[in-house]
Structures are given as structure tokens and as C-alpha cells.
Amino acid sequence: MTAALLFAALALIGLGIVATAASSTVRAGLLAQAGGAALLGIAGFYALAAGTTAGSGFTSAFAPHFGVDGLTAFFLGTVGLVAAPTLLFASRYLDATARGRTVAALTGAFVLTLVEVLCARDPLTFLAGWELMTLLPAATILVAHSDRSARRNVFLYVAVTHLAGAGTWVAVLLAAHAGALDGGATIGRGSGLQIAIALAALVGMGTKAGVMPLHSWLPRAHPIAPAPVSALMSGVMIKIAVYGLVRVLVDWLGVLPVWTGVLVLALGALSAVGGVVYALFQHDLKRLLAFHSIENVGIIVLGLGACLVLRARGADTWAALALAAALLHTLNHAVFKSLLFLGAGSFERAVGALELDRLGGLLRRMPWTGGAFFVGALAIAGVPPLNGFASEWLTLQALVHVPAYGGLGDGVAGAVALAALAATAALAVFCFVKVVGLVLLGPPRRDAVAHAVEAPLAMRSAMFFLGGACLVLGLAPGLLVGSLAGLAPWHAVVPTAFGLHPPGTGSLRTVGLAVALGVLVPVLVALRSRSAAAPAPAWACGQLVQPQLRWTSAGFTKPLRLVLEAVLRPQRQIAVRVQGGVVQEVAYSGRIPQLLDERVYLPALRSALTAAAHARRLQTGRLGTYVGYLIALVLVLLAAAKTGLIG
């Protein structure tokens, strides 16, 4: 059944790609792709629920092998759940020009590549798909945007992910050499080989996931991609890197030393807090959402780190629940982040730009799109009873139990991770209060916003489907927790319930909470409508209320910027124009620099370019010079062999 559904899904997506590339309209081809993605999601979640497998198991042989197990099935379901509405959205978002058809075909090919990586069961196929997963979005962005800035950002994206991606190659090839893929060889706990594989995977796969401090490509590439591609990149592509981390650290390597789990916790805490802090100070909506992807990957990595620490301490049940928390947040983030990127794409299409200070009032002018975006904002902010709250709450419970099974070091690590998660949750609420206030509420800040019209039905339907998924996954997360905990390669008994009731956590009556909110909200709305006061103009010290006097993104976050000034190092420029002794104009501009970029990556780039310029002098173009180089090299090697430096 699983194999049949999977083959049908892939065939339908393939036919959709062909139809998209060959037809004068992209709509029919994208609808076929969306249907195939829906079958893919059904196949994945069916295999997860039924506990069935298909195809080959993992092998170290360098020959194509494909298969599906429980972990693959979960990620296939996630890809299908996100890709189906995203491709439906794209059917009205993309036009029928040659560029639109190319983007549509590449988007379908991107989905097939994600499936290929998940189903790969040998090193060669996995690594080939991993590299293609980087190149296809880059090609799609370059087709959609050919300006110099886009080319530079794509170059940085490809360069960073390929250079750091060497860690993925090292991890997979070492694991294959040790026989870890076959399951027939056990890598010694704490051995040099085990540590080398784990660290290489953290570098290579952590970069692809956008884990700080290896994140610099993500806020550059995601915002410039077309909205459906942004949704797939942020919603599912970086989750394939999470799949790789789980596969290597949890499945292939066995029990890791405690300090590796603490290291993963530290990376998760840095990514979660750093991502949400930098998101707060962004002025472009899509760039803000990209930084929130870093934040939510940090939350996922926190759950994965808790799993590694608890497993090393022998707390198998809670280790399985921590893994379930990480996987549940993986699914939840895929859903609400795709919803938010699609909403941003709808806004961009309607008003032409996504600068926060130039939007406003879109909930009145685009009520269906704005309402769906509002649901996504509540979900990513962790507001109950939506799905973001459920997985963050389960992650919190897992982190609480980290100190209970270890010593002082575990207690400190667990406390820091808990503080990071709490701070992240609070700052996320703060950030999306700003986003909702500046984007959806208030008066429009320019004419294009005032004349915005609602998105087409297909685009609205896609967003409403994802919004409904946010609600369902928030109301009944317990339906998945047991199955996700069962994906742990060790035996752990975890009950499955309609609500979220893991052992030791108490009871979270999500359905009861939803019913109470459903009753309370209409009552409050009715009371508000009865006692509503007549509107009155705002008092601005006698001055007319102009758009320039309204709240801005920078003004909203200034208190936090002042508190974190020593860390963020904000930069300001103030220009005062004086005429006849009277101030005529004051111009202010400010920015929050990306410290890792400016203090680490840019100096490294400049050093690399300088070294390349020196090395380029060796390329004289004269054959005699090159022969001289070869003779000198031979003489050096002979001298080294003579002195015993080389054998």
C-alpha cells in the first residue's frame, strides 16, 4: 500500500512537471503536482500510523537503493502536507510566462529531490540528492531574480552550504566505512570515529538546517525566493537537514557521550535566542520570517539535545519523548512557517513591497488572507491551543527532566536550555505583536496598501488548509506523540492519547481549552460591541496625525535595542540640515549589524580573496614556467623521501 501510494504520487508530480514545462499555462501542471504531493503526504502518514516499511534498508554499498521506514515516512508526510497547498498556491501565484513555467517546473523537481533524499538508502544516492537539494533552489531563485544582489546572495548560499556541506560527506562516508548504515557494526561509545562522525554531521547538516553560527546563508536566500519556493525552503528543505541529524546522531551512532548532547543543547539555545532577537529588528517581512526559521530550528535542536543527554543517562522513556518533541515541532514549524511565507507572498503580490513600516490595515482589505496569516502568527508565537504551543510545551517538559537524571553539569545545561526556550517564547510573542500591529492592523501607510485586493481563491484555499492544520495539530498533538516517540531506535513505552499526556507532565486538556476559548471569545466580542465608544482622533500635541508619526518597527523594538545595545552594537547615522540658523530637516537611519557576518565571515572572505589573488600569480600561461614548477615539486618530494619525512 505504501509503495503503491508513493509511486502514484511521484508519477503524478512528474507528469505535472512535464505538463508545466510543455504547456502554455502553468495552472494544470501545478494542480497535478499538488495532487501528487497530497498523495505523498497520505503515503507518509499512512506508513507512520501503520508502522509499515517498504523497499530496501540502509546499506554501505555504493549502488542505488531506496526504501521507507518510520522516520522517512514521517518526513515524507511532512513534505506532502506542506507541498500540496504550496503548489496549489503557486498555480495562481506564478504566471504563464517562460519564467513562470521554468520556476513551476523547478519547484516540482525540488519536491522530487526532497523525496529522493528521504528515501535514499545508500551513501551515493543520499549525497547526490543532498547536493541537488542545494542547487535546485539556487537555480529557481536565479530564474526569478537576475539582478546583481540576487546573484551575490545565491552565490553566498551555494558557497556556504557546499563548503560546510563537506561535513555531511565526511559523516556519511565515515559511517558507511564503519558499517553503521548496515547496522552490523557497532561504533564504540566515545571513540574517535564516533565523535568525528557526530561533529562532521553537526557542521554539514547543521549548516543546511540554519543552526547558528552556520546560518548566514538562510536570511539571504529565503527572502529573495518566490513565495512558494520560500515556503518549501523554510518549511521542508531545512527539515531534511533535521532528518539527517536525527538519522546520524540518534539512529546510526548509538549512545553518544553526554558532552555531545550538551553541545547540541548549546547550539539549539544559541540558534533559538539569536534567531528571534535578530528577527525582532528586521524591517522586511520575509527576512523577519527567515530569521524565525533559525529560531525554530533552534527549538528543534534543543529537543534533539535533550534526547541525546537523556539517552546517555539511561532515561529511555524521556529520551524518546524529547525526540518526539523535536519531531513534532519539526512538523508544526513546517506548517505554520509555510503558511506565513505564503501569506507574505500574497501581501507582496497585492501591494508590491513588504517593508513593515509601509504596510498596515491589510486585515480589513484582505480579510481571508489576513485572517489566515494571523492564525500562523499566533501559532509561531506559541499561543494555545495552536500547534506551536503544543510542541514547545512538550520540549519544555523534556528539558525540565534533563537535570533529574544527571549531575551538576546536566543541571546547568538543562537550566540554560530552559531559560533560552522561555526567553525565545516571550520574544516571539513580542515580535509577532509587532508584525500583526504593523501589517494587519491600523490604517494603510501608502496608497498601494489602501487599494489592496483579496488574493485568488486557490491562494486563499492553500492558506486556509495550512491554518486548519495548525489548529488540528494544536488540539490533538497526542495523536502523533506516541508514534513519534516510537521512532526511537530503543524500546520506550509511551502512551498515546487524544490530548497531550506524557508521563510526569500532568494533563493539558487541549480540547477543553479550545471549547472554553470558543465560548469565551464570542461573549467578549458581544460585550465589546455593546460598550464600544465612538471613535475619536488621536491627540498628538495639536499636530495633525500624519503617517510619519505612526509607530514604526524601529520604534516598537527600541526598548529592547537599548537593553541589548552592548551585545547588538547598533549603528546610527543622524544628519541635520540647518538653514539660516533654523533646523529644517533631521534625517535618521540605523541598522543592527550581523556580528557573525561582519566579524567572522567577511574577514574570512577577504582573506580568501587575497590568498586567491596571490595564488593567481602562479598562472603565467607559459609552459616553461609550469614545467619548472613540476621539476621543483619532484625535487622537494625526493628530498623529503631521502630525509625520511615521507615513506
Side-chain angles (χ1 to χ4, degrees):
M1 180 68 173
T2 301
L5 285 173
L6 187 57
F7 283 135
L10 297 180
L12 194 53
I13 294 174
L15 288 174
I17 294 172
V18 174
T20 299
S23 174
S24 59
T25 176
V26 300
R27 188 173 304 174
L30 282 169
L31 290 177
Q33 292 181 35
L39 284 178
L40 178 66
I42 294 170
F45 286 120
Y46 170 80
L48 176 66
T52 59
T53 60
S56 303
F58 280 97
T59 176
S60 298
F62 282 80
H65 290 77
F66 298 94
V68 176
D69 61 4
L71 186 63
T72 296
F74 167 71
F75 279 90
L76 286 175
T78 302
V79 171
L81 181 63
V82 170
T86 299
L87 292 168
L88 175 63
F89 180 95
S91 68
R92 289 303 303 268
Y93 181 85
L94 298 175
D95 53 36
T97 62
R99 176 176 295 181
R101 292 199 304 272
T102 304
V103 170
L106 288 172
T107 303
F110 182 40
V111 174
L112 289 182
T113 301
L114 299 175
V115 175
E116 189 266 353
V117 175
L118 292 173
C119 295
R121 288 298 181 267
D122 64 278
L124 179 63
T125 307
F126 179 87
L127 293 173
W130 188 271
E131 296 303 316
L132 192 59
M133 186 173 65
T134 297
L135 296 175
L136 277 174
T140 307
I141 294 171
L142 289 177
V143 170
H145 301 282
S146 57
D147 57 280
R148 181 178 180 182
S149 176
R151 292 197 302 271
R152 180 177 177 83
N153 287 331
V154 168
F155 173 78
L156 180 65
Y157 156 56
V158 173
V160 170
T161 52
H162 273 297
L163 289 174
T168 301
W169 283 73
V170 171
V172 173
L173 294 178
L174 282 180
H177 178 71
L181 276 66
D182 303 291
T186 302
I187 301 175
R189 181 180 180 183
S191 65
L193 179 60
Q194 186 191 49
I195 300 305
I197 295 173
L199 294 180
L202 281 174
V203 171
M205 297 171 179
T207 300
K208 177 66 75 174
V211 174
M212 278 192 175
L214 306 169
H215 69 288
S216 62
W217 66 270
L218 194 152
R220 288 179 168 87
H222 288 207
I224 62 174
V229 180
S230 293
L232 291 174
M233 290 178 71
S234 194
V236 291
M237 184 189 77
I238 61 176
K239 306 309 186 305
I240 305 301
V242 173
Y243 163 80
L245 285 172
V246 173
R247 186 65 78 183
V248 174
L249 300 180
V250 178
D251 189 12
W252 291 348
L253 293 184
V255 182
L256 286 162
V258 173
W259 69 264
T260 57
V262 174
L263 174 62
V264 174
L265 282 175
L267 292 174
L270 175 64
S271 300
V273 177
V276 71
V277 166
Y278 278 114
L280 270 164
F281 299 105
Q282 302 307 309
H283 302 290
D284 180 84
L285 181 57
K286 288 184 74 175
R287 187 171 171 85
L288 180 147
L289 295 176
F291 272 103
H292 272 287
S293 293
I294 299 171
E295 170 223 334
N296 281 276
V297 165
I299 295 173
I300 295 168
V301 173
L302 281 175
L304 182 57
C307 169
L308 297 178
V309 173
L310 291 166
R311 187 184 184 190
R313 294 301 187 187
D316 287 348
T317 296
W318 272 105
L321 282 168
L323 177 62
L327 294 177
L328 183 62
H329 199 69
T330 297
L331 173 62
N332 288 339
H333 177 252
V335 173
F336 59 64
K337 182 51 65 66
S338 302
L339 168 58
L340 291 171
F341 266 114
L342 295 183
S346 297
F347 295 149
E348 185 176 28
R349 174 173 170 162
V351 304
L354 291 176
E355 185 181 353
L356 293 177
D357 295 337
R358 304 190 67 196
L359 297 174
L362 285 173
L363 186 60
R364 287 193 182 95
R365 286 147 189 86
M366 303 174 68
W368 299 103
T369 299
F373 187 89
F374 181 63
V375 171
L378 292 176
I380 197 173
V383 175
L386 296 171
N387 57 343
F389 172 78
S391 49
E392 288 185 21
W393 186 80
L394 187 58
T395 303
L396 180 72
Q397 297 300 319
L399 291 173
V400 166
H401 285 76
V402 168
Y405 294 93
L408 178 62
D410 293 1
V412 172
V416 171
L418 278 169
L421 181 59
T424 300
L427 291 173
V429 173
F430 182 35
C431 185
F432 278 91
V433 167
K434 178 188 83 167
V435 170
V436 169
L438 295 177
V439 175
L440 300 182
L441 305 179
R445 301 181 183 223
R446 55 193 175 94
D447 291 339
V449 181
H451 297 93
V453 295
E454 188 58 89
L457 177 61
M459 296 168 63
R460 300 199 307 268
S461 300
M463 296 177 62
F464 261 78
F465 174 82
L466 291 170
C470 290
L471 182 60
V472 171
L473 289 170
L475 291 178
L479 293 176
L480 280 175
V481 169
S483 298
L484 296 180
L487 298 179
W490 60 90
H491 180 69
V493 179
V494 180
T496 302
F498 185 70
L500 190 59
H501 313 300
T505 66
S507 297
L508 178 64
R509 304 293 181 180
T510 53
V511 177
L513 181 62
V515 171
L517 289 174
V519 172
L520 184 61
V521 169
V523 171
L524 292 177
V525 170
L527 292 175
R528 179 180 180 275
S529 62
R530 290 182 180 180
S531 60
W539 170 251
C541 301
Q543 183 174 350
L544 293 176
V545 178
Q546 299 175 344
Q548 292 85 346
L549 297 178
R550 293 175 184 142
W551 276 95
T552 64
S553 177
F556 194 92
T557 56
K558 184 174 182 178
L560 183 64
R561 187 171 69 251
L562 293 176
V563 171
L564 299 177
E565 188 168 7
V567 177
L568 297 174
R569 307 292 179 88
Q571 299 175 356
R572 307 177 186 89
Q573 288 184 347
I574 300 177
V576 180
R577 185 170 63 86
V578 179
Q579 184 177 353
V582 179
V583 175
Q584 301 294 323
E585 182 182 12
V586 177
Y588 167 86
S589 64
R591 61 185 290 267
I592 302 295
Q594 301 298 310
L595 295 180
L596 284 169
D597 286 359
E598 299 188 4
R599 303 293 175 86
V600 178
Y601 292 120
L602 289 180
L605 176 62
R606 285 193 292 266
S607 299
L609 291 176
T610 301
H614 288 296
R616 194 175 295 118
R617 296 175 183 174
L618 298 174
Q619 298 175 333
T620 63
R622 292 192 293 269
L623 180 60
T625 303
Y626 297 148
V627 172
Y629 292 157
L630 291 175
I631 293 174
L633 177 61
V634 170
L635 291 175
V636 170
L637 292 176
L638 289 174
K642 184 67 175 179
T643 57
L645 292 178
I646 58 175

